[in-house]
mmCIF file of all heavy atoms in Angstrom:
data_model
loop_
_atom_site.group_PDB
_atom_site.id
_atom_site.type_symbol
_atom_site.label_atom_id
_atom_site.label_comp_id
_atom_site.label_asym_id
_atom_site.label_seq_id
_atom_site.Cartn_x
_atom_site.Cartn_y
_atom_site.Cartn_z
ATOM 1 N N ASP A 153 -95.057 -25.733 -6.813
ATOM 2 C CA ASP A 153 -94.472 -24.682 -5.996
ATOM 3 C C ASP A 153 -93.476 -23.897 -6.845
ATOM 4 O O ASP A 153 -93.027 -24.368 -7.889
ATOM 5 C CB ASP A 153 -93.739 -25.288 -4.798
ATOM 6 C CG ASP A 153 -94.683 -26.001 -3.843
ATOM 7 O OD1 ASP A 153 -95.896 -25.730 -3.885
ATOM 8 O OD2 ASP A 153 -94.199 -26.829 -3.060
ATOM 9 N N ILE A 154 -93.132 -22.722 -6.391
ATOM 10 C CA ILE A 154 -92.131 -21.889 -7.043
ATOM 11 C C ILE A 154 -91.019 -21.651 -6.030
ATOM 12 O O ILE A 154 -91.277 -21.425 -4.848
ATOM 13 C CB ILE A 154 -92.752 -20.557 -7.516
ATOM 14 C CG1 ILE A 154 -93.818 -20.840 -8.567
ATOM 15 C CG2 ILE A 154 -91.683 -19.613 -8.041
ATOM 16 C CD1 ILE A 154 -94.628 -19.623 -8.963
ATOM 17 N N TYR A 155 -89.778 -21.716 -6.496
ATOM 18 C CA TYR A 155 -88.617 -21.509 -5.641
ATOM 19 C C TYR A 155 -87.841 -20.300 -6.147
ATOM 20 O O TYR A 155 -87.782 -20.056 -7.351
ATOM 21 C CB TYR A 155 -87.718 -22.748 -5.658
ATOM 22 C CG TYR A 155 -88.430 -23.973 -5.153
ATOM 23 C CD1 TYR A 155 -89.192 -24.763 -5.999
ATOM 24 C CD2 TYR A 155 -88.355 -24.325 -3.818
ATOM 25 C CE1 TYR A 155 -89.866 -25.880 -5.527
ATOM 26 C CE2 TYR A 155 -89.019 -25.443 -3.336
ATOM 27 C CZ TYR A 155 -89.778 -26.214 -4.203
ATOM 28 O OH TYR A 155 -90.439 -27.310 -3.735
ATOM 29 N N GLU A 156 -87.252 -19.564 -5.212
ATOM 30 C CA GLU A 156 -86.497 -18.372 -5.582
ATOM 31 C C GLU A 156 -85.197 -18.329 -4.787
ATOM 32 O O GLU A 156 -85.170 -18.684 -3.609
ATOM 33 C CB GLU A 156 -87.343 -17.139 -5.266
ATOM 34 C CG GLU A 156 -86.642 -15.827 -5.503
ATOM 35 C CD GLU A 156 -87.493 -14.655 -5.069
ATOM 36 O OE1 GLU A 156 -88.539 -14.426 -5.685
ATOM 37 O OE2 GLU A 156 -87.100 -13.985 -4.103
ATOM 38 N N VAL A 209 -82.786 -20.624 -0.238
ATOM 39 C CA VAL A 209 -83.839 -20.901 -1.215
ATOM 40 C C VAL A 209 -85.180 -20.687 -0.523
ATOM 41 O O VAL A 209 -85.434 -21.237 0.549
ATOM 42 C CB VAL A 209 -83.746 -22.344 -1.762
ATOM 43 C CG1 VAL A 209 -84.890 -22.637 -2.714
ATOM 44 C CG2 VAL A 209 -82.395 -22.569 -2.435
ATOM 45 N N VAL A 210 -86.035 -19.874 -1.146
ATOM 46 C CA VAL A 210 -87.357 -19.579 -0.594
ATOM 47 C C VAL A 210 -88.392 -20.318 -1.433
ATOM 48 O O VAL A 210 -88.359 -20.263 -2.663
ATOM 49 C CB VAL A 210 -87.637 -18.058 -0.615
ATOM 50 C CG1 VAL A 210 -89.016 -17.761 -0.056
ATOM 51 C CG2 VAL A 210 -86.571 -17.308 0.163
ATOM 52 N N ARG A 211 -89.302 -21.011 -0.782
ATOM 53 C CA ARG A 211 -90.365 -21.760 -1.463
ATOM 54 C C ARG A 211 -91.674 -21.001 -1.344
ATOM 55 O O ARG A 211 -92.054 -20.560 -0.262
ATOM 56 C CB ARG A 211 -90.519 -23.136 -0.824
ATOM 57 C CG ARG A 211 -91.652 -23.945 -1.401
ATOM 58 C CD ARG A 211 -91.709 -25.313 -0.688
ATOM 59 N NE ARG A 211 -93.011 -25.878 -0.834
ATOM 60 C CZ ARG A 211 -93.935 -25.936 0.118
ATOM 61 N NH1 ARG A 211 -93.690 -25.480 1.311
ATOM 62 N NH2 ARG A 211 -95.108 -26.473 -0.118
ATOM 63 N N PHE A 212 -92.351 -20.835 -2.480
ATOM 64 C CA PHE A 212 -93.678 -20.234 -2.517
ATOM 65 C C PHE A 212 -94.654 -21.318 -2.946
ATOM 66 O O PHE A 212 -94.639 -21.737 -4.106
ATOM 67 C CB PHE A 212 -93.717 -19.067 -3.508
ATOM 68 C CG PHE A 212 -92.793 -17.944 -3.134
ATOM 69 C CD1 PHE A 212 -91.507 -17.881 -3.647
ATOM 70 C CD2 PHE A 212 -93.210 -16.962 -2.259
ATOM 71 C CE1 PHE A 212 -90.647 -16.852 -3.301
ATOM 72 C CE2 PHE A 212 -92.357 -15.923 -1.901
ATOM 73 C CZ PHE A 212 -91.081 -15.875 -2.422
ATOM 74 N N PRO A 213 -95.484 -21.813 -2.033
ATOM 75 C CA PRO A 213 -96.423 -22.884 -2.391
ATOM 76 C C PRO A 213 -97.432 -22.414 -3.437
ATOM 77 O O PRO A 213 -97.830 -21.251 -3.442
ATOM 78 C CB PRO A 213 -97.129 -23.215 -1.081
ATOM 79 C CG PRO A 213 -96.339 -22.553 -0.006
ATOM 80 C CD PRO A 213 -95.582 -21.429 -0.633
ATOM 81 N N ALA A 214 -97.807 -23.333 -4.316
ATOM 82 C CA ALA A 214 -98.849 -23.027 -5.306
ATOM 83 C C ALA A 214 -100.163 -22.839 -4.588
ATOM 84 O O ALA A 214 -100.463 -23.558 -3.627
ATOM 85 C CB ALA A 214 -98.951 -24.161 -6.317
#
Side-chain angles (χ1 to χ4, degrees):
D153 295 340
I154 297 172
Y155 299 86
E156 176 184 294
V209 177
V210 179
R211 176 180 158 255
F212 298 94

